[in-house]
Amino acid sequence: MDTSVAERVAANPTYQSLKATRSRFSWTLTIAILIVYYGFILLIAFGKNLLATPLGDGVTTLGIPVGFGVIIFTIVITAVYVRRANGEFDALSETVKREVLQ
Amino acid sequence: MSSLARNLFRTLGGAALLAAPTVALAAGDLGGQAEQQPTNWTAIIMFAVFVIGTLFITKWAAARTKSAADFYTAGGGITGFQNGLAIAGDYMSAASFLGISAAVMASGFDGLIYSIGFLVGWPVITFLMAERLRNLGKFTFADVAAFRFAQTPVRIFAASGTLVVVAFYLIAQMVGAGQLIKLLFGLEYWIAVVIVGALMMIYVLFGGMTATTWVQIIKACLLLGGASFMAFMVMWNYGFSPERLFASAVDVKAGIASAGGAAPEQARQSGLSIMAPGNFITDPISAISFGMALMFGTAGLPHILMRFFTVPSAKEARKSVMWATGWIGYFYLLTFIIGFGAITFVLTDPSFLDPRGGLIGGSNMAAVHLAHAVGGNIFLGFISAVAFATILAVVAGLTLSGASAVSHDIYSTILKDGKADSASELRVSRITTVALGILAVALGIAFEKQNIAFMVSLAFAIAASANFPVLFLSILWKDTTTWGAVIGGFLGLISSVVLTVLSPSVWEATLGYAKGSAPFPYTSPALFSMTIGFVGIWLFSVLDRSRRAQIDRDGFLAQQVRSETGIGAAKASSH
């Protein structure tokens, strides 16, 4: 790709909005996973008793749904990003290509 | 960190897992090597079926491997779903399967903390890297890291980062393979290592990425299928009630404590301890540092990054990570159930226990004995064969990635200035494959009796401290320059290695200095070495006033446009 194409793309308003939206979205999700994971680690470090609280009368503790929750959250948040990127963002990206390259 | 946590680290440390320290976990037996078992013919026959099947695939793949692009990326024709399974197959090692289920059996909830660490890197790859890698790269992650920089210095760095990570990971896998196969199949250690080395060479040499991908896909299916069956049988026995499974496991653990002489109340507490975090974190800095190594190391493993070039578009690259994350997450949920199943089925059955109450063959046998308990001899053979297949899939991916660093980054780009023809590049990658295979076997045999448990953690720490910062900043930070990337990257690499050597897992466990004498007290260097890597890149980029630095910064716009839109990418991969 020569520089003039890159400059034309960079000046394209659709491209700019795609870049800004995607960047905001991916950083928001990145921060979310960082908070969830390191929150989990800190909870283990400083909130052991909370995680050891039994749910109801059985032996199952709060730690089990929290731990499984982190795994499920990781899978779901990945799927959320991929869904939006493969739909909305790719469509925008196609628009940019159409607008600039033709 | 407590010694239990440290042992667990080692367990998870990788295939190293399969070596000495893990054995200590449940059995409390610090004696080292895996005990050789009687020759297991069911397992050997099942494994032979796997090998014959994969050799046919290799033959088919060989006919399709004509160019360097075929060799490195299977011609770019893998779908997102297939690639997702292959990534899962590349990532889920025998270590995760046997090591994590053993860790869960030994300490319950703490085992889950490890699984989560191994999973959380995937969203980071998805959000920040996968599609950009695909849009910018062609064959290796160095294509991306060096995109707008002076090729030679950045490629030298990237090839070093790749080869060092591959070397440590490979040694750990080879030693683990030897130990595991001795254990499962009753073969001599060196024979096992030679078989693994030879098969891996055949897959990669003749079938390149196509054969490697299909070996990984088949292995992922077998492993996920086998683990699902075991978890299903465990849950079925408890009427699909997790509470009933947990309650029974707590009773078993309390019973063991009570048999060991604990008072009833104490025994009950000891049983309940598997339901909550125990000794994993006594030192939050180690925990966070190790978490960072796992999370960001995943995003810097060359053999994983390479898989993103096998799909035709950014869309498929994203689909691959989505599937990979789903399968890997599912797998870790299964290992948790399998670990608890091992408590209730294996620890209660004297035929699996040695006279001291430890598992026959060592604690890593938890999942293997459970396979016997829920599925009889045939299923035991199946799971043993799957564990072997698992190692093959991982080492094939590693070797391919090491070979591509030599042939594509060093030979083709640096020595031939990017003008090497496909045939000679292919020849160099095949020669490198043979060299790496022989080296892996030699090192595997040389390290048999060594405590190499730190090696996989080290590979993750280097990937997080050297490869990841360079990739991340070169993609996202405009002002990164050639020298910033190279100097910062090498600082991250060197500091992660040096701090690991100075940490207890090498200083005390491998070099044998007195306990507590390690100059670097934490389990993982990542928190510090990643910081050194990032700060180094930033500092030397900011200070860089060379003419090249201006070209590097000016190149950002074009790189960014391509990484965001894929314009220009399709042609680059020549699919």
Side-chain angles (χ1 to χ4, degrees), chain B residues 39 85 96 115 143 161 167 176 237 282 336 347 424 466 483 488 514 520 560:
Chain B
T39 311
L85 268 175
S96 330
S115 320
D143 293 337
N237 266 282
T282 45
F336 192 67
L347 290 181
S424 59
W483 291 112
F520 180 75
Q560 190 185 37

Side-chain angles (χ1 to χ4, degrees), chain B residues 213-263:
Chain B
T213 302
W214 284 101
V215 169
Q216 288 169 343
I217 291 175
I218 293 169
K219 162 265 174 107
C221 294
L222 293 175
L223 183 57
L224 288 165
S228 297
F229 174 75
M230 283 163 78
F232 176 85
M233 291 306 282
V234 169
M235 293 309 290
W236 184 60
N237 266 282
Y238 291 94
F240 295 96
S241 155
E243 168 64 26
R244 282 177 58 199
L245 168 65
F246 295 149
S248 165
V250 166
D251 287 344
V252 171
K253 286 283 188 178
I256 292 171
S258 160

Side-chain angles (χ1 to χ4, degrees), chain A residues 1 9 15 19 22 26-27 29 37-38 48 52 58-61 63 67-68 74 78 81-82 85-86 90 93 97, chain B residues 109 113 116-117 123 126-127 131 243 246-247 275-276 278 281 291-292 315 318 333 336 472 558 560-561 564-565 567:
Chain A
M1 177 172 47
V9 174
Y15 170 75
K19 195 173 69 145
R22 174 153 59 199
S26 52
W27 280 108
L29 296 187
Y37 178 57
Y38 291 100
K48 265 185 203 164
V59 300
T60 309
T61 57
F68 274 50
T74 307
T78 308
Y81 177 83
V82 171
N86 277 2
D90 271 0
S93 176
K97 281 182 211 168
Chain B
F109 189 86
I113 305 174
I116 292 173
T126 315
F127 306 152
E131 58 196 88
E243 168 64 26
F246 295 149
M275 298 307 300
I281 296 180
M292 287 173 70
K315 201 188 270 296
R318 294 187 206 103
L333 294 176
F336 192 67
F472 182 83
Q560 190 185 37
V561 164
E564 296 282 340
T565 62
I567 294 174

Side-chain angles (χ1 to χ4, degrees), chain B residues 382-440:
Chain B
F382 175 76
I383 284 294
S384 305
V386 167
F388 201 161
T390 287
I391 291 176
L392 279 177
V394 176
V395 293
L398 286 166
T399 307
L400 186 59
S401 153
S404 65
V406 172
S407 60
H408 181 61
D409 297 331
I410 295 178
Y411 171 77
S412 170
T413 313
I414 299 176
L415 298 179
K416 294 283 167 185
D417 204 19
K419 295 187 193 76
D421 60 292
S422 173
S424 59
E425 191 171 335
L426 195 55
R427 195 172 58 244
V428 174
S429 29
R430 288 189 160 137
I431 295 168
T432 318
T433 303
V434 174
L436 281 173
I438 293 169
L439 190 70

Side-chain angles (χ1 to χ4, degrees), chain A:
Chain A
M1 177 172 47
D2 56 61
T3 327
S4 74
V5 175
E7 276 165 3
R8 282 202 335 264
V9 174
N12 179 289
T14 317
Y15 170 75
Q16 287 165 353
S17 102
L18 165 69
K19 195 173 69 145
T21 316
R22 174 153 59 199
S23 156
R24 203 164 45 238
F25 188 54
S26 52
W27 280 108
T28 309
L29 296 187
T30 304
I31 290 166
I33 187 75
L34 292 177
I35 290 175
V36 166
Y37 178 57
Y38 291 100
F40 178 66
I41 295 288
L42 292 175
L43 195 59
I44 293 164
F46 301 108
K48 265 185 203 164
N49 292 336
L50 180 67
L51 290 177
T53 317
L55 298 175
D57 306 328
V59 300
T60 309
T61 57
L62 184 62
I64 301 292
V66 169
F68 274 50
V70 175
I71 292 184
I72 305 288
F73 177 80
T74 307
I75 297 172
V76 169
I77 197 176
T78 308
V80 165
Y81 177 83
V82 171
R83 211 182 144 74
R84 188 167 176 199
N86 277 2
E88 186 188 330
F89 295 157
D90 271 0
L92 279 174
S93 176
E94 286 308 310
T95 312
V96 173
K97 281 182 211 168
R98 236 189 357 261
E99 287 174 1
V100 177
L101 299 180
Q102 284 166 15

Side-chain angles (χ1 to χ4, degrees), chain B residues 17 56 79 101 106 116 134 204 242 295 320 334 393 407 465 488 509 517:
Chain B
L17 319 183
F56 271 106
T79 68
S101 49
I116 292 173
R134 176 61 195 80
V204 177
M295 185 179 223
S320 347
L334 296 179
S407 60
S465 315
S517 68

